[in-house]
Structure formats: C-alpha cells, structure tokens
Amino acid sequence: MTTVLDLQSIEKSFGAVRAVDGVSFDVARGEIVALLGPSGCGKTTTLRLIAGFEQPDGGRIVMNGVDVALREPYERNVGLVFQDYALFPHMTVAQNIAFGMKHRGTPRAEIPKKTAEVLERVHLSGVEKRWPSQLSGGQQQRVALARALVTEPDLMLLDEPLSNLDAKLRHHLRIELREILSKTGSTTIIVTHDQEEAMGLADRIVLMNAGRIEQIDTPERLYAEPKTRFSADFIGQSNWFEGTVRGDGADGTAQVDTPAGPVSIPLVNGFAAGDRIAVCVRPERITLTGPDLESTAPGQTRVAGTVDAVEMLGSDIRVWLKTANGAQIQSSTKYLGGPRPKVGTKAAACFNAADCILLEAEGKRE
Amino acid sequence: MSKRYADAFFFTGYYGLIALAILFALIPIVIAVVLSFDNRTFIGPFPPTDWSFRWYEEFLTSDYYHQGLKTSLIVSSTATLFSTVIGALTAIAIDRGRFWGRGVLQSLFISPLVIPTVVIGFGVLMFASRLGIVDGLPRLIMGHIIITFPYVVRTTLAALIGLRPSYFEAALSLGATPYQALWHITIPLARTGIIAGAIFAFVMSFDEVAVSLFLSDPFTYTLPVALLAQMRANLNLTIAAVSVIFIIVTIVLIWALDRIAGLDKIVGQGVYGRIR
C-alpha cells in the first residue's frame, strides 16, 4: 500500500492555545480516514494544515514522499469539500465545476465532457446550467463533491460533509458518499464530530482530544477495544465500575470490588491484585433479569437495583437501573413487543466477564 | 378599553410626527421646483402667478453655467473612477489583510466621516501648492478623490464582511492563486458594494461645495460653486432651475442604485439563501 499522506508530529498554536499538539498519522492510497473528536479538539486545524490554509509550527506534512508543509494551497493537489459547500453563488454549476479544471490546467476542450462525467458520478446529471441557489442542500453537497473530485486530487478532504443536512437525508447521503468515494478510489480524510458518520464512512478513525490523538483504529476495534476512557466514552455509551482487583478468581476470572458490588472480569495480564481499575460495559451487553434469580454461570456479574427510567426508542428500549449505592446502570435491548418495564420495580443487571473492557482507573492502560 | 385608547393615541401621535418630519424635509424642495417655473424676474410671494421656462433657458444658454457643468462632470467622473479603484482595493486589504492597525482602519472607514470638508479643502490646497500644482482641475480631482473614496471603502467593506471566507479558500483549494481568487471570486461577489460605492461617490462629488470652493480657480469651477457665486452676485431663479436638474440627476442615480442592489437579490440568492 502506498502512503499518500504522512503527518509527522504536527504542531500548531494560536496564541497560548496549542490547537494541534504532536499529531502523527498516515493515510494509504484509496483509504478513507475519519478525523473524529469533540469541537475544539484540533481536527479542523489539522484539516486546514493539510489543505495549506495554515502552516504548522513544527512537524512534517509529507504527501507522496514530499514535505509540503510550507507550500501554498494551490501548490498542493488537495480537493476540499467545505462544511457550507462554498459553491460560488455567481457561477452556474458547470462554471463552479470548471473553475478547478481551469486553474489546474485541464485543456479547455475537455472541460464540458469531464463536467458531465463527474456530475453523472455524483448522480446529478443535467444540472449544469442551474445556479447553486436553485439546488437543495443535498444537491449542493454533491456539486461541491463533484467540483473537488473533477481535478483528480491526490487527497480529498471533507469538512463535516453531512452536518448541514437533515437526519433522514444525512443517512441516505452517507451511504451514497461512501459509494462515490470508493468507486473513484479517492484517498479521503473526513473531519467530523459525529461518531456515527465516522463509523459509517471510514476505514480507520483517528480519534482526537485536546489537540492530541487518543487512538487510531478501525471502527470495530475502536468500539470494542477503546484504549482510553475518553475513547470509550466518546464512541457509544458505557457503564463504568471502578474498583480494586481482588486476587481470587474462578474459571479464568478475577473479582473487582466496586461500590456496586463485586464484578467478574477476565483474568488478563497487566492487572494484579490490589490494582485500581475501571471496568467499562456497553449497555447492549447488559441484560435485565428479575430480582430473585441467583447468578448461575461462573464469570457472570449481577447487580441488583430498581428501574429508574425507561426510554423507548422504537427498535431499542433503554432502561436505567439505580443500584443500592445510587449508581446508574444503563442497559439497551432490542424491543420485541410487550409493555415496557415499570419504573420502581426491582430488577438486576447481568453481564459476562467477557463483555468487560478493562482500563486503568485513571484512564490509560499500558 | 382605556388601554386601547392610549395605544391609539400613541400611534396617532407617532405617525403624525413622522408625517410632519417628512413634510418639513419636502417643502423646501417643492418650493424650489415650483419657483423654477416662475416667470417673474424677482423673487416674489409664493405661489408664482405667471409660469415659464425662462430660467431653464437661461441655464442652458449661460456660458458660465456651462463651464461649471462641464468641470463638474469631468471632476466627478474622474474622481469616481479613481475612488472606486482605490476604495475597493483598500476595502479588500482591510478585510483580508492581517496587519497592525487593521481594526482601527476598519472602524474608521465604517464610521461616518469625521473630518470637516473645509479642513480637507484647505489641506489639499496647501498640499497641492507645495507640489507645485496650481491648475484648478487636478486640484479639484485630488480633493474629490479624498472625500469620495471612503464611501467606496465603506460600501465595499460592508459587502465583503457579509461574504463567507470559505469562498476564497475554496478557490485556493481549486488551484487558484490568491490574486486569481480575488479577481474571479471576491471582487465579483462584492460588486454590489463596489457599484453602490461608485454611485455614492459620484453623487457626493457632484454635490460637493466646501472643498471645491477652496480648490477652484477663476476659470475652473464646479457647478455648485458657480451656483453659489451667481447667488451672491445677482440673485435670480436660475438657481431653482439648476436645483431641479440636480434633483433629477440624483433621483436617476439613486434609482440606478436600487436597480443594481435589487437585481443582486435575484442573481445572488446563493449568498443568503438556503444554507443557514
């Protein structure tokens, strides 16, 4: 796999704020990478550094083997789709698409043909003569995509590409976007704060927080094996049990004493008796049972409590259980019909040792 | 019910006041227009008893006024041309540039002009004589550029501030140099502001008296200066006729301004429409 982009310890400060603080990752040809993180985490600054609108204080931005950190935007072959699309309002769709080709040296005679081709690729044929203001939000987004794609950039950058669209359309366009990008084989970086968007579009996710990278992984591994507490909390929902590891275990499990009671965890290397650890359990791994059943299977944990709140989401039903010590446990199950659990009834949350994600109590493992 | 009466009373007073203010502003104009058709050779009681076009004829046949009108047109159009170019470029520099004192310049140009025109007139006179410029025409053009270009800066700046910075950056990412992005994207998108500024500049220049008084010479004088001189020498109603011509020219230009600004609302919907 050829590496198209290689960021090496990029740093950028604005005044006293370290917006990007030693960020390194690479992108292979044809890969879709999502830069994910909360607002202010430095993902947009990283994008602007790659596009050339800002220049880094330190580090190297290597594109196809050449350090481009100090090059002007027009000296890099990077296509950009803006959050607000930035279609030129005084130009028709065709003129918008032709703009990049004119400035990137496409022969004039080829422009109409290429325009038609790229519009077909984004499923928007026949709108050449329209003005941007005559298009819907989704159509504008696709024209912006076509405008960037048509010059065949080495790297496509998409800044929050779906955030300006309504929920239904967003889902539809996400699938279409994925299809267009993989069909063109574009190497792409998507900046987003929406974990669903990142999970749905990217081959790999670069999770950022406070100017630093928290974790780089595939969507599956990021969800199943978060490396930090931030990762676990940012992607999906989680229940946390903090406590001290007790040595005695049975059948390959160990016990952790937590305020909610003992929790069974798998016996893995790295933790010894007396260590403080944080146990994360995803809501969908928790099943609710009646209050009287005793824990049967070894390695299973039961935490008793009362139903505190119920949220009906259609396909899923979410139940919050309040334990004796006041902690809340969230469970999420497929809704299969019938009445919802009543608030105030006694119940117990059950989960297996295998479903526990183990982190050091302070946050980082290792 | 008393609340309703109070409200009705308030609004009657409110609209009455507005009507009075409008009347107060319009009456002098109406009087000037009516008097320009007066046939009497003296300024008699209003309304006139006898009508004619004699003052218009006088204006059209007077070499003195002709000379003034010619100078005015040359000075105003030349000054407008320079002001538009200098003003638009200044506005772009203030909007896009990152330099010391940018904020001060921006607020200075956005706020109403603070230096009295008399001061500008005197200053330009001194400055021009230092430079050895003694001819009226270049002096007048200099002075008029100075008083009109802030209008172009202001209207262009207003248009630029409304532009999303992503347009410029999109152009750069598509391979345009900053100069090309400016020429193909920023300036066309700010054109409403630039054209409005140019029309403003022309109207202001055409109407200007104080600066022109300082910078005129016995053979080069603008129309308003000619009017003023005539009024002092021999008061007659040619002034009223010229005023009417002034009003017509101004109305035509304001109408053009509205047409251009209104036109942009149709063509330029993308700037304001749909997205957010």
Side-chain angles (χ1 to χ4, degrees):
Chain A
M1 282 266 251
T2 18
T3 305
V4 172
L5 176 75
D6 187 11
L7 292 192
Q8 299 169 4
S9 336
I10 293 300
E11 282 172 23
K12 178 73 185 176
S13 300
F14 296 107
V17 184
R18 292 182 77 90
V20 177
D21 192 1
V23 163
S24 305
F25 65 90
D26 54 26
V27 185
R29 183 168 305 287
E31 193 181 23
I32 302 177
V33 168
L35 267 181
L36 176 67
S39 59
C41 73
K43 57 186 193 298
T44 302
T45 306
T46 307
L47 177 103
R48 295 177 59 81
L49 285 165
I50 299 169
F53 298 140
E54 311 278 353
Q55 293 189 336
D57 301 333
R60 278 153 53 89
I61 300 173
V62 180
M63 280 184 71
N64 292 325
V66 187
D67 186 357
V68 297
L70 299 178
R71 285 201 189 168
E72 294 291 332
Y74 52 88
E75 293 166 334
R76 310 177 184 202
N77 197 10
V78 171
L80 194 54
V81 176
F82 287 81
Q83 183 172 11
D84 59 10
Y85 316 135
L87 295 178
F88 307 132
H90 62 304
M91 295 183 184
T92 61
V93 168
Q95 288 168 329
N96 263 284
I97 291 173
F99 189 88
M101 289 193 276
K102 276 181 194 155
H103 291 281
R104 295 262 188 227
T106 309
R108 214 156 261 270
E110 287 177 26
I111 289 179
K113 200 179 115 235
K114 286 205 162 191
T115 303
E117 271 171 16
V118 80
L119 279 175
E120 199 186 320
R121 231 190 299 160
V122 299
H123 312 301
L124 209 63
S125 293
V127 298
E128 281 93 334
K129 293 208 176 82
R130 301 248 201 107
W131 297 95
S133 58
Q134 295 172 312
L135 302 176
S136 72
Q139 289 172 321
Q140 291 185 27
Q141 207 254 0
R142 280 184 277 181
V143 172
L145 189 66
R147 186 176 70 174
L149 279 174
V150 76
T151 56
E152 290 158 27
D154 294 331
L155 182 66
M156 284 283 288
L157 302 175
L158 312 186
D159 186 11
E160 305 272 1
L162 305 172
S163 64
N164 269 333
L165 306 168
D166 58 69
K168 267 257 162 67
L169 191 63
R170 196 181 307 166
H171 184 238
H172 177 73
L173 268 172
R174 196 164 72 208
I175 294 163
E176 204 170 284
L177 188 60
R178 168 103 216 184
E179 180 229 305
I180 292 167
L181 289 174
S182 55
K183 211 183 260 177
T184 355
S186 310
T187 312
T188 310
I189 296 179
I190 295 168
V191 163
T192 180
H193 66 274
D194 181 354
Q195 47 143 325
E196 232 178 85
E197 205 169 296
M199 301 277 250
L201 283 169
D203 301 317
R204 275 195 306 152
I205 293 175
V206 176
L207 182 64
M208 288 186 71
N209 181 31
R212 293 170 171 276
I213 292 179
E214 287 279 332
Q215 191 170 350
I216 305 179
D217 246 320
T218 60
E220 306 86 281
R221 284 172 55 89
L222 197 58
Y223 186 75
E225 295 168 44
K227 293 264 194 306
T228 65
R229 188 147 185 167
F230 178 86
S231 299
D233 275 331
F234 196 80
I235 312 280
Q237 309 280 326
S238 21
N239 294 296
W240 290 98
F241 303 95
E242 278 191 41
T244 314
V245 179
R246 208 192 321 144
D248 65 328
D251 305 326
T253 62
Q255 298 287 313
V256 181
D257 286 323
T258 73
V263 171
S264 296
I265 58 162
L267 249 185
V268 287
N269 16 347
F271 293 106
D275 279 356
R276 297 272 305 162
I277 68 164
V279 179
C280 165
V281 187
R282 300 290 191 190
E284 69 275 11
R285 301 299 177 93
I286 291 179
T287 44
L288 287 185
T289 64
D292 321 315
L293 279 167
E294 277 308 310
S295 173
T296 44
Q300 207 177 40
T301 302
R302 279 175 51 87
V303 182
T306 51
V307 175
D308 196 39
V310 181
E311 195 179 29
M312 178 66 200
L313 298 172
S315 66
D316 293 315
I317 188 156
R318 209 167 274 172
V319 179
W320 278 267
L321 211 63
K322 201 171 196 168
T323 63
N325 71 330
Q328 277 200 326
I329 299 175
Q330 188 190 154
S331 85
S332 165
T333 45
K334 286 270 152 280
Y335 179 64
L336 303 168
R340 57 170 82 177
K342 278 210 174 61
V343 172
T345 52
K346 298 250 176 247
C350 293
F351 53 90
N352 291 317
D355 295 327
C356 293
I357 300 161
L358 307 180
L359 295 169
E360 251 176 50
E362 291 312 309
K364 285 200 162 61
R365 198 148 68 165
E366 273 141 324
Chain B
M1 282 311 269
S2 65
K3 231 175 161 177
R4 277 198 186 188
Y5 287 128
D7 195 54
F9 183 74
F10 169 77
F11 273 103
T12 313
Y14 177 67
Y15 287 123
L17 213 62
I18 291 174
L20 269 179
I22 292 172
L23 270 182
F24 188 73
L26 277 180
I27 284 172
I29 297 171
V30 172
I31 289 176
V33 172
V34 173
L35 282 183
S36 72
F37 298 103
D38 195 343
N39 195 23
R40 296 170 296 185
T41 49
F42 56 94
I43 297 181
F46 193 82
T49 46
D50 218 1
W51 306 92
S52 84
F53 282 104
R54 60 185 294 176
W55 305 117
Y56 289 90
E57 276 173 44
E58 192 136 323
F59 170 69
L60 290 173
T61 50
S62 148
D63 275 346
Y64 187 70
Y65 281 126
H66 265 185
Q67 189 59 36
L69 181 62
K70 201 177 126 198
T71 310
S72 260
L73 287 175
I74 293 171
V75 168
S76 294
S77 41
T78 315
T80 301
L81 193 73
F82 278 99
S83 288
T84 307
V85 175
I86 300 170
L89 293 178
T90 307
I92 289 168
I94 291 173
D95 183 58
R96 290 293 126 115
R98 295 285 169 266
F99 52 87
W100 188 86
R102 176 178 166 269
V104 178
L105 273 182
Q106 185 166 341
S107 37
L108 209 68
F109 278 115
I110 288 284
S111 61
L113 307 175
V114 280
I115 300 171
T117 42
V118 179
V119 176
I120 294 173
F122 183 68
V124 172
L125 185 65
M126 293 290 114
F127 183 53
S129 75
R130 271 294 174 87
L131 290 177
I133 301 169
V134 287
D135 267 5
L137 201 62
R139 248 180 6 202
L140 278 166
I141 291 172
M142 263 172 72
H144 279 236
I145 291 173
I146 291 173
I147 51 166
T148 55
F149 102 98
Y151 290 99
V152 183
V153 176
R154 198 187 306 174
T155 53
T156 309
L157 212 46
L160 287 173
I161 287 168
L163 277 187
R164 283 183 258 148
S166 56
Y167 291 135
F168 188 76
E169 291 183 343
L172 294 186
S173 80
L174 289 167
T177 62
Y179 162 75
Q180 289 168 326
L182 213 59
W183 188 248
H184 294 295
I185 306 298
T186 309
I187 290 176
L189 288 177
R191 70 192 182 285
T192 320
I194 297 171
I195 294 169
I199 293 174
F200 242 117
F202 188 88
V203 171
M204 286 298 154
S205 162
F206 202 64
D207 204 31
E208 160 57 36
V209 189
V211 169
S212 305
L213 266 179
F214 276 95
L215 304 177
S216 294
D217 65 28
F219 311 104
T220 330
Y221 45 86
T222 63
L223 188 57
V225 171
L227 270 177
L228 206 66
Q230 279 295 301
M231 202 171 81
R232 304 191 135 213
N234 53 331
L235 185 61
N236 69 35
L237 286 170
T238 320
I239 297 163
V242 178
S243 306
V244 171
I245 290 167
F246 254 106
I247 292 168
I248 290 168
V249 169
T250 312
I251 287 175
V252 166
L253 284 173
I254 297 295
W255 173 80
L257 193 72
D258 184 56
R259 276 304 294 262
I260 290 159
L263 207 68
D264 191 72
K265 273 179 201 139
I266 301 156
V267 178
Q269 263 180 3
V271 185
Y272 313 102
R274 286 267 153 64
I275 308 168
R276 265 178 261 179

